[in-house]
Amino acid sequence: MNNNNPANSPPLSQQQSLTIEQAFELAIQHQQNGGLPQAENLLRQVLQRQPKHAPALHLLGVIAHQSNQTELAIKLIADAIAINPTEALFHSNRGEMCRTLGRLDGAIDHGKQAIKLNSQSASALSNLGIAYYDQKDLDIAEDYQKKAIAIDPNCLPALNNLGSIYRDRKDKDKAIEYYRQVVSLNPSYLESI
């Protein structure tokens, strides 16, 4: 048995020496490795010990979203925001979840709040840009995607979104240029292949 593998870790209740922070980090590892049930179990145990642990609520929301429970995800992240309203990532992710449900006003509101809190977050800028794209405001969408790329030239969602913007503008050459950049950085990036 490999004790370094988070999937082989005993429940938090059996890990009395594990701090809340260590349990949270272990939950992140599970989530990143696709162990959503294990991550959720650890996060729920963290929240039993510390009910106002905003990062645990947020990550539980991300896991709910990954499990196709986006309504629950939005509520959990709203709870995290109520505890810590100054965390840009919480607003950015809640905005993106609102967008996936077609709630574009909420997506834009949370996206703007995320950028107000952290103007250097390429993912927040890209998320806000895609919300504007969904509203068919291609100029504003393009502006936010380009701001994201200025911060992170390898921001795959922003590059891909620019490809979509130029495709919608019927500029096939420019669209292909952006899509090729995405595929050259990550050949398995599904949205561009």
Side-chain angles (χ1 to χ4, degrees):
M1 176 183 242
N2 178 357
N3 290 330
N4 293 328
N5 183 347
N8 296 328
S9 301
L12 183 58
S13 59
Q14 295 176 13
Q15 300 172 354
Q16 296 304 322
S17 62
L18 205 60
T19 67
I20 287 175
E21 291 75 23
Q22 290 168 330
F24 179 70
E25 289 300 319
L26 187 57
I28 291 172
Q29 290 175 26
H30 280 297
Q31 184 263 339
Q32 290 174 343
N33 292 321
L36 301 185
Q38 298 89 344
E40 180 179 349
N41 182 44
L42 278 166
L43 292 168
R44 292 201 181 280
Q45 291 180 52
V46 165
L47 290 167
Q48 282 178 341
R49 290 170 59 188
Q50 189 177 340
K52 293 192 182 259
H53 193 286
L57 284 165
H58 171 259
L59 186 55
L60 200 56
V62 170
I63 290 168
H65 178 67
Q66 290 175 309
S67 301
N68 297 315
Q69 298 176 28
T70 303
E71 289 290 351
L72 174 60
I74 288 172
K75 185 208 175 305
L76 289 165
I77 294 177
D79 292 345
I81 290 171
I83 295 165
N84 183 359
T86 62
E87 179 54 57
L89 180 63
F90 297 176
H91 288 280
S92 180
N93 283 343
R94 188 162 190 244
E96 177 58 13
M97 290 172 194
C98 286
R99 185 191 70 80
T100 65
L101 293 178
R103 299 176 190 162
L104 299 181
D105 290 340
I108 289 170
D109 289 345
H110 282 286
K112 286 179 177 178
Q113 184 63 27
I115 290 167
K116 182 178 175 184
L117 294 167
N118 182 359
S119 63
Q120 297 302 302
S121 171
S123 64
L125 288 161
S126 181
N127 284 351
L128 181 55
I130 197 68
Y132 278 109
Y133 173 84
D134 286 358
Q135 274 196 335
K136 308 294 185 219
D137 195 331
L138 300 183
D139 291 337
I140 295 175
E142 178 184 14
D143 183 51
Y144 280 112
Q145 300 306 338
K146 287 186 174 179
K147 286 178 182 177
I149 290 171
I151 292 166
D152 178 3
N154 296 327
C155 182
L156 294 175
L159 291 166
N160 187 76
N161 294 337
L162 281 166
S164 297
I165 289 165
Y166 284 103
R167 180 197 64 216
D168 287 5
R169 288 181 173 155
K170 311 289 188 227
D171 187 339
K172 182 179 172 184
D173 292 337
K174 198 80 164 162
I176 290 171
E177 176 187 326
Y178 281 109
Y179 289 142
R180 283 190 176 146
Q181 286 181 53
V182 173
V183 172
S184 73
L185 291 168
N186 182 350
S188 63
Y189 195 80
L190 294 177
E191 292 187 41
S192 292
I193 53 177

Coordinates of all heavy atoms in Angstrom, one line a residue, residues 22 31 40 80 99 134:
Q22 N -4.2 20.4 6.8 CA -3.7 19.2 6.1 C -4.8 18.4 5.5 O -4.7 17.9 4.4 CB -2.9 18.3 7.1 CG -1.6 18.9 7.6 CD -1.0 18.2 8.8 OE1 -1.8 17.6 9.6 NE2 0.3 18.2 8.9
Q31 N -9.3 15.9 -5.2 CA -10.1 16.6 -6.3 C -9.3 16.7 -7.6 O -9.8 16.4 -8.7 CB -10.5 18.0 -5.8 CG -11.4 18.7 -6.7 CD -10.7 19.7 -7.6 OE1 -9.6 20.2 -7.3 NE2 -11.3 20.1 -8.7
E40 N -14.8 15.1 -1.3 CA -16.0 15.6 -0.7 C -16.1 15.1 0.8 O -16.5 15.9 1.7 CB -17.3 15.1 -1.4 CG -18.6 15.6 -0.8 CD -19.8 15.1 -1.6 OE1 -19.7 14.6 -2.7 OE2 -20.9 15.3 -1.1
A80 N -19.5 30.5 0.8 CA -18.1 30.8 1.0 C -17.9 32.3 0.8 O -17.1 32.9 1.6 CB -17.2 30.0 0.0
R99 N -22.8 31.4 -15.5 CA -22.8 31.4 -17.0 C -23.2 30.1 -17.6 O -24.0 30.1 -18.5 CB -21.4 31.8 -17.5 CG -21.3 32.0 -19.0 CD -19.9 32.1 -19.5 NE -19.2 30.8 -19.5 CZ -19.4 29.8 -20.3 NH1 -20.2 29.9 -21.4 NH2 -18.7 28.7 -20.2
D134 N -21.1 35.2 -24.5 CA -22.4 34.6 -24.5 C -23.5 35.6 -24.7 O -24.6 35.3 -25.1 CB -22.6 33.8 -23.2 CG -21.8 32.4 -23.2 OD1 -21.2 32.1 -24.2 OD2 -21.9 31.7 -22.2

